[in-house]
Amino acid sequence: MRRMILAVLLALLAPGGHAKADNFPSRQITMIVPFSAGGPTDAMARILAERMRTTLGQNILIENVTGAGGSLGVGRVVRSPPDGYTINVGHLGTNVANGAIYNLGYDLVTDLEPVVMLPSNPMVIVSKNAIPAKTLPELLAWLRAKPTPPTAGTAGAGSGSHIAGLYFEKVTGIKLQYVPYRGTAPALTDLVAGQIDIIIDQTSNSISQIRAGTIRAYAVTDDKRVESAQDIPTTDEAGLKGFHMTLWSGLWVPKDTPKDAVAKLNAAAVEAMNDPVVRQKFERLGLEIPRKDQLTPEALGAWQKSEIAKWWPMIKAANVKIE
Ligand code: ASP
């Protein structure tokens, strides 16, 4: 009998994700941002993490693991223990497009568990100030007339800025020469310095430089203007009708993470996105918070699969080279 009690006690104390999930989280959580600090993915993750900390009662460390269009950072999460303490902040690029470009060594759908959809952000077509164009048709004419392919900064093959570039090439017939960075923060620095011609950037990243007049904005890739930048026309208004793209984001954890940990992370992120202070910060960056029915792990999983079906054929047809 005594031996049996001991066995039961040992089983209760035994380590193992499922047994421990009840008191999750009991230590610091790491959010892996797969792009540079100071860029759009990083900025959103920091606003979110700051508020999630309050709900979860644990510190959330942001770690920027950059390179190869964010695929290195996601790989780090896939190989982490499935316990909810390492989270992938990803988006249409890292968690959809990269599967059609890189030989990842992991499966974006079966090796990760979706947690929650995060805000989406329209892109904005921006150029260095040295380009004389003032409107989108003038910019397109300038790009077409350039004897060598115009340079477009991206956060690497497969990143949001790169997919937007591929889509732009398809719609306009203009051939771009991509210049890859570890995120659009360093790409933007080079645009301000006049080292590259354009970026099709996330609005949240470019907005402060547009306001400061250090770069020029031509159009946001959406059917409605951005609340916080009403003077920038939409692509429909500016002459590229139908060129719409919003970069949605999400959180994932390694597969086999206990359901309870996924639910707690989801609830903390949802609470953060419902907080008026957080909402205001997101809105200022032109970020759109998902609808209530989009905020379950299942909704993110289904959305990711539908986006794979939509984007992979176009990306594969573009025959993207990895720099
Ligand atoms: N999310 C951006 C992109 O994919 C990169 C970044 O966050 O720096 O273009």
Side-chain angles (χ1 to χ4, degrees), residues 35-36 39-42 91 155 159-161 183-185 202 247:
F35 297 104
S36 323
T41 311
D42 182 74
H91 65 24
S159 63
S161 36
T184 43
Q202 275 176 257
L247 193 69

Side-chain angles (χ1 to χ4, degrees), residues 256-308:
D256 296 333
T257 298
K259 288 256 172 296
D260 173 66
V262 173
K264 282 179 178 159
L265 291 171
N266 174 286
V270 171
E271 195 175 310
M273 285 187 273
N274 281 330
D275 183 314
V277 178
V278 172
R279 293 180 85 91
Q280 202 192 26
K281 285 184 186 166
F282 282 159
E283 274 156 21
R284 260 206 297 260
L285 292 170
L287 289 158
E288 286 164 24
I289 297 162
R291 292 189 318 264
K292 198 166 174 267
D293 62 302
Q294 294 174 306
L295 291 172
T296 61
E298 295 73 25
L300 174 59
W303 176 248
Q304 182 190 13
K305 283 185 197 143
S306 70
E307 287 283 276
I308 286 174

Side-chain angles (χ1 to χ4, degrees), residues 132-148:
K134 295 281 184 297
T135 62
L136 187 60
E138 285 173 18
L139 175 73
L140 299 182
W142 187 90
L143 297 172
R144 282 203 178 96
K146 199 166 181 258
T148 52

Side-chain angles (χ1 to χ4, degrees), residues 55-323:
T55 312
L56 295 168
Q58 292 294 338
N59 187 34
I60 302 179
L61 179 85
I62 305 281
E63 202 183 321
N64 300 87
V65 180
T66 66
S71 60
L72 301 182
V74 179
R76 167 85 78 84
V77 177
V78 168
R79 290 186 303 276
S80 298
D83 53 14
Y85 290 96
T86 313
I87 309 175
N88 157 221
V89 186
H91 65 24
L92 168 64
T94 54
N95 291 61
V96 171
N98 281 352
I101 298 177
Y102 296 90
N103 201 346
L104 292 175
Y106 54 82
D107 188 296
L108 285 168
V109 173
T110 54
D111 286 334
L112 292 159
E113 295 283 346
V115 175
V116 71
M117 191 182 281
L118 297 181
S120 58
N121 199 213
M123 312 299 279
V124 61
I125 305 170
V126 286
S127 82
K128 61 181 179 187
N129 273 347
I131 293 182
K134 295 281 184 297
T135 62
L136 187 60
E138 285 173 18
L139 175 73
L140 299 182
W142 187 90
L143 297 172
R144 282 203 178 96
K146 199 166 181 258
T148 52
T151 48
T154 73
S159 63
S161 36
H162 180 231
I163 307 165
L166 295 175
Y167 188 16
F168 178 82
E169 285 186 286
K170 200 173 157 192
V171 169
T172 63
I174 296 168
K175 190 94 203 79
L176 299 172
Q177 156 113 42
Y178 295 106
V179 183
Y181 295 82
R182 287 180 173 257
T184 43
L188 187 59
T189 307
D190 267 10
L191 189 74
V192 171
Q195 306 286 352
I196 50 173
D197 296 324
I198 63 164
I199 309 179
I200 307 178
D201 194 9
Q202 275 176 257
T203 306
S204 61
N205 195 46
S206 276
I207 194 100
S208 53
Q209 296 294 350
I210 296 169
R211 284 197 186 117
T214 51
I215 56 171
R216 196 168 298 131
Y218 299 89
V220 286
T221 62
D222 204 353
D223 58 2
K224 54 184 182 309
R225 293 192 180 201
V226 171
E227 196 61 42
S228 59
Q230 286 286 329
D231 51 326
I232 310 173
T234 65
T235 36
D236 293 343
E237 293 167 329
L240 262 190
K241 207 166 170 33
F243 178 53
H244 297 162
M245 177 179 162
T246 55
L247 193 69
W248 56 268
S249 296
L251 297 179
W252 285 261
V253 286
K255 73 158 186 240
D256 296 333
T257 298
K259 288 256 172 296
D260 173 66
V262 173
K264 282 179 178 159
L265 291 171
N266 174 286
V270 171
E271 195 175 310
M273 285 187 273
N274 281 330
D275 183 314
V277 178
V278 172
R279 293 180 85 91
Q280 202 192 26
K281 285 184 186 166
F282 282 159
E283 274 156 21
R284 260 206 297 260
L285 292 170
L287 289 158
E288 286 164 24
I289 297 162
R291 292 189 318 264
K292 198 166 174 267
D293 62 302
Q294 294 174 306
L295 291 172
T296 61
E298 295 73 25
L300 174 59
W303 176 248
Q304 182 190 13
K305 283 185 197 143
S306 70
E307 287 283 276
I308 286 174
K310 175 178 163 183
W311 290 96
W312 277 18
M314 189 190 105
I315 294 166
K316 286 185 175 159
N319 221 343
V320 176
K321 278 199 266 349
I322 303 165
E323 303 88 354

